[in-house]
Amino acid sequence: MHRGIPAKYAVTVTTPTAPFSSEAQTSQKPVLVVDYGAQYAQLIARRVREANVYSEIVPHTFTTEQLLAKNPAAIILSGGPSSVYAEGAPRVGADLFEAGVPVFGICYGFQAMANALGGKVAQTGLREYGATEATTVGEARSILAGLPDSQNTWMSHGDSVHEAPEGFEVLATTAGAPVAAFANEEKHLYGVQWHPEVKHSVHGQQVLENFLFNGAGLKPNWTTGNILEEQVDRIRRQIGDSKVICGLSGGVDSAVAAALVQRAVGDQLTCVFVDHGLLREGEAEQVERDFVAATGVKLYVANEQERFLSALAGVSDPETKRKIIGREFIRAFEEAERAIIAAAASEGESIKFLVQGTLYPDVVESGGGEGAANIKSHHNVGGLPEDLQFELVEPLRALFKDEVRAVGAQLGLPQEIVGRQPFPGPGLGIRIVGEVNKERLDLLRKADAIARAELTAAGLDNEVWQMPVVLLADVRSVGVQGDGRTYGHPIVLRPVSSEDAMTADWSRLPYDLLARISNRITNEVDGVNRVVLDVTSKPPGTIEWE
């Protein structure tokens, strides 16, 4: 392990990228989720994977030919905000339903299927939003097999299917949807008006699994174990005998990506950890000690705390802070990278590959479902240079966050790393509202460590998505501690519950836990005399304060 890598090698580089390819990520035939602008498209894909079936999201602009070219095991048409009869509304070609691929329509996808096949879609005058009772027509069967005759579902629609297409059997109805579910068993075509992917649809997962296992005849044989084995093989084929570099942030994504590559190519990998001094208590040491011990990875550590503090001096604006942290990280990473490249060159070797912990939501949100070559901002901070001349290695590109954690556990990474809560790239720099300096960082680190320790002791780590602890450095409040009057800073606790951070709600932590956290922080952290709780959902608030 090396520290303080010198910056004395000038290297000019650029970065070619490759489009996302499911074949490069898994040998499983995918269930394609066609996204019609639904807020739940990613959630549908997650629910399919929870049934141990591989899924991918594709845009509604895909033609039937493009869909079939991906050799799908089945296709799910998502919901969306449009009306099927509105000008410019997304369409689905009727030829898709003659291709022999099982199809399942949800909400707008259900209506688009009905419309394409000659059914009748119109407004009933009775919109349904939220909890809605659906009643089966006759005996519960097909995709509703094994479900009660009446079930609670989650609706979000103004239009309804009034008449099912020819050859379809009506399975369920609601007050506002004469046809709330239908099936054509002969052609393996199915649909429901409600959203089975959301937890509020009590039997939604069973509806999805009835489609996957009975309607489409699939087997639940995809696991993160498959991904681990396939990725190791793919990485070896991609990298060959070349050298590869990876930036470690201390977070879950980069750690698991690096561990996967290390499993595949061993000492051909060099990891770079830029310690910018903005991590939480003990996290830098975990990277340097625990990660190295678990993986045997070759690690270069650049101590750059003074660099970042100097650059942030006098800056309070959050967006400016983000840009400064991103800029300085890029410079520090480049200096380390140049030294490593030079060291490899002195031995007659070259570094051709760069590991990135890109996840599937990053691919989808950047347009990668269409084969776009957008690279997400590096999760260490801010973004890697646009002129990096490496081929990307992205072993997590097909995975959601919970799947990444599972792969990390299979790789033997410590729970302290695998189970780590999501943490922003700019670190504590954006959890201090105001100027960032060493005194304030030390204060926030102590408060954050207390809050995290108490959450763990209460056994609630897995029930809270993350709990940012925020220092209001530019705010002071009057307090009484001992026999004296104080004028200290408030600390904000921001515990949130979420599945993917796209939406979130504040976590209802027990009062006695909140009291312990408050008492410990105000007693043990000098300069803090008040602890407050943020009870705002997302939206309207964001998870982070800056």
Side-chain angles (χ1 to χ4, degrees), residues 178-262:
V179 181
F182 60 36
N184 184 323
E185 294 288 358
E186 181 181 354
K187 293 186 176 181
H188 304 284
L189 304 177
Y190 310 87
V192 295
Q193 180 61 66
W194 63 88
H195 288 275
E197 70 273 20
V198 303
K199 295 293 187 182
H200 302 293
S201 290
V202 178
H203 301 283
Q205 186 66 15
Q206 188 173 346
V207 173
L208 275 172
E209 292 183 6
N210 279 345
F211 165 69
L212 295 171
F213 304 141
N214 301 330
L218 305 182
K219 301 295 183 184
N221 55 10
W222 182 82
T223 67
T224 51
N226 301 141
I227 279 287
L228 194 158
E229 297 168 4
E230 291 172 354
Q231 282 303 309
V232 166
D233 180 65
R234 187 187 69 83
I235 292 166
R236 286 173 179 161
R237 285 187 280 108
Q238 181 184 8
I239 294 175
D241 296 328
S242 299
K243 298 290 186 179
V244 57
I245 190 172
C246 176
L248 276 179
S249 69
V252 178
D253 304 342
S254 65
V256 175
L260 255 176
V261 175
Q262 171 72 13

Side-chain angles (χ1 to χ4, degrees), residues 202-418:
V202 178
H203 301 283
Q205 186 66 15
Q206 188 173 346
V207 173
L208 275 172
E209 292 183 6
N210 279 345
F211 165 69
L212 295 171
F213 304 141
N214 301 330
L218 305 182
K219 301 295 183 184
N221 55 10
W222 182 82
T223 67
T224 51
N226 301 141
I227 279 287
L228 194 158
E229 297 168 4
E230 291 172 354
Q231 282 303 309
V232 166
D233 180 65
R234 187 187 69 83
I235 292 166
R236 286 173 179 161
R237 285 187 280 108
Q238 181 184 8
I239 294 175
D241 296 328
S242 299
K243 298 290 186 179
V244 57
I245 190 172
C246 176
L248 276 179
S249 69
V252 178
D253 304 342
S254 65
V256 175
L260 255 176
V261 175
Q262 171 72 13
R263 173 72 64 92
V265 299
D267 286 345
Q268 292 168 236
L269 170 68
T270 299
C271 288
V272 176
F273 174 52
V274 177
D275 185 356
H276 48 42
L278 304 174
L279 292 176
R280 293 173 291 189
E281 186 175 283
E283 289 185 332
E285 292 78 10
Q286 283 181 351
V287 173
E288 297 182 43
R289 181 190 65 234
D290 299 343
F291 182 76
V292 172
T295 62
V297 75
K298 184 163 50 178
L299 180 67
Y300 285 79
V301 179
N303 281 321
E304 299 286 358
Q305 294 95 325
E306 290 303 320
R307 172 192 211 132
F308 282 83
L309 284 175
S310 296
L312 289 166
V315 179
S316 296
D317 179 71
E319 189 58 30
T320 304
K321 286 192 290 184
R322 285 179 179 272
K323 290 178 179 178
I324 289 171
I325 295 168
R327 180 194 71 208
E328 294 304 319
F329 172 78
I330 289 170
R331 291 175 177 173
F333 185 88
E334 283 180 319
E335 291 171 8
E337 162 215 316
R338 289 167 187 160
I340 295 168
I341 289 174
S346 69
E347 299 177 3
E349 299 175 323
S350 63
I351 298 177
K352 299 180 180 179
F353 297 92
L354 172 69
V355 178
Q356 236 186 228
T358 309
L359 304 191
Y360 193 50
D362 305 315
V363 176
V364 174
E365 290 167 9
S366 67
E370 293 187 70
N374 298 31
I375 304 174
K376 79 165 189 173
S377 294
H378 190 276
H379 41 264
N380 251 357
V381 254
L384 287 175
E386 295 179 358
D387 59 347
L388 282 172
Q389 195 171 36
F390 295 118
E391 181 179 337
L392 289 179
V393 179
E394 298 179 297
L396 311 179
R397 194 173 168 87
L399 301 182
F400 288 98
K401 188 72 145 190
D402 53 340
E403 296 166 340
V404 171
R405 295 187 195 278
V407 169
Q410 291 171 337
L411 287 165
L413 293 183
Q415 177 60 28
E416 291 78 10
I417 292 177
V418 171

Side-chain angles (χ1 to χ4, degrees), residues 96-115:
L96 175 64
F97 306 111
E98 300 298 329
V101 178
V103 181
F104 180 50
I106 293 174
C107 192
Y108 181 84
F110 170 64
Q111 295 173 9
M113 179 192 298
N115 186 61

